[in-house]
Amino acid sequence: MDGQQERKTGMRERRSRNTKARLRDAATALAAAERPGRITVDAICAEAGVSRRTFFNHFATKDEVFLAWDQSDEDHIVQLIAARPSSESPVRAALQALAPKMSALSDHGYPDTVREVTGHDPGLHQHFNDMAEKFSAAVTLGIARRRSLPDDSYTVQLAAAYVIASLRVLARAFTSLDSPGRTQKLEETCRILEHGFLAAEQAEPPAQGTAE
């Protein structure tokens, strides 16, 4: 393949990634105001400014658009983590990079949307699991880049596991917190992971009714 052909191929791939991202973002925005089951392909296309033919060139069904993922998503996650200040630990860098994105998705009802579309179409569960694995791989690669270590390094794998598990817990906590509360909870999470659970347990007051 000559240079000109490579450039054309690269442009087509970028256009395809951009179109898929626009459709996913359009569907997510619509789902913030309407249940996913009531959103039509026509509405998604109108929101994204594309035709039905373009939609079905990228997705076989309407629900697949909510679980869109491609290489550009992985690259974006890696870049977000890598761009954090070098003074930050890899765990803090990953959490600080990704928690705001997760917070925005939570505000748009994305977790509920995913639960609904996978609930009425069991075939999408595997699609969701594949997306989760790719997200995990992207976080791992981002941490590996910061540490200048291979992504199968034990310490890299351990740090990535902590980050991914923490994001799940934060996602639940964020639903009942305002913006300052989320910032405080994120900082608390970073501190616990950096300084250890024992110190956090000693500092946290016992629950009501717990015997001392």
Side-chain angles (χ1 to χ4, degrees):
M1 182 183 296
D2 59 28
Q4 184 176 4
Q5 186 61 36
E6 286 181 353
R7 285 192 294 273
K8 289 181 179 179
T9 300
M11 289 177 63
R12 284 196 298 271
E13 290 176 350
R14 284 193 296 273
R15 284 198 297 268
S16 176
R17 289 197 298 267
N18 289 338
T19 299
K20 289 173 70 174
R22 284 166 58 196
L23 287 165
R24 179 188 58 199
D25 292 345
T28 300
L30 290 170
E34 183 66 84
R35 292 187 62 182
R38 297 180 180 177
I39 298 170
T40 65
V41 170
D42 288 336
I44 296 171
C45 291
E47 182 76 13
V50 304
S51 67
R52 284 176 60 89
R53 179 177 179 181
T54 297
F55 181 96
F56 287 110
N57 280 341
H58 292 88
F59 302 104
T61 69
K62 180 192 69 176
D63 288 341
E64 282 185 11
V65 70
F66 295 104
L67 302 175
W69 179 281
D70 62 32
Q71 184 62 43
S72 65
D73 294 296
E74 177 176 330
D75 294 341
H76 182 58
I77 289 171
V78 172
Q79 290 166 7
L80 283 175
I81 296 172
R84 295 292 305 178
S86 59
S87 59
E88 293 182 344
S89 69
V91 167
R92 176 178 288 272
L95 285 173
Q96 292 286 353
L98 299 175
K101 295 285 186 182
M102 181 192 68
S103 178
L105 289 172
S106 179
D107 287 341
H108 282 86
Y110 183 73
D112 291 335
T113 297
V114 170
R115 280 192 290 270
E116 180 168 337
V117 298
T118 56
H120 70 71
D121 186 349
L124 289 177
H125 277 292
Q126 186 58 49
H127 198 140
F128 174 77
N129 290 337
D130 291 343
M131 185 179 72
E133 288 184 7
K134 290 173 182 177
F135 175 78
S136 176
V139 172
T140 303
L141 184 57
I143 292 173
R145 294 275 177 88
R146 289 187 69 89
R147 296 291 306 276
S148 298
L149 291 170
D151 57 7
D152 61 353
S153 160
Y154 176 78
T155 55
V156 168
Q157 294 277 332
L158 188 61
Y162 270 119
V163 168
I164 292 162
S166 296
L167 286 172
R168 293 194 188 102
V169 177
L170 281 168
R172 291 193 292 270
F174 279 7
T175 60
S176 60
L177 296 172
D178 58 12
S179 182
R182 291 180 183 185
T183 299
Q184 182 178 358
K185 185 62 67 176
L186 174 58
E187 175 57 32
E188 178 185 348
T189 303
C190 291
R191 179 174 53 79
I192 290 172
L193 294 182
E194 288 179 328
H195 299 291
F197 288 93
L198 182 59
E201 289 172 356
Q202 291 172 342
E204 187 172 0
Q208 292 292 329
T210 300
E212 296 184 6

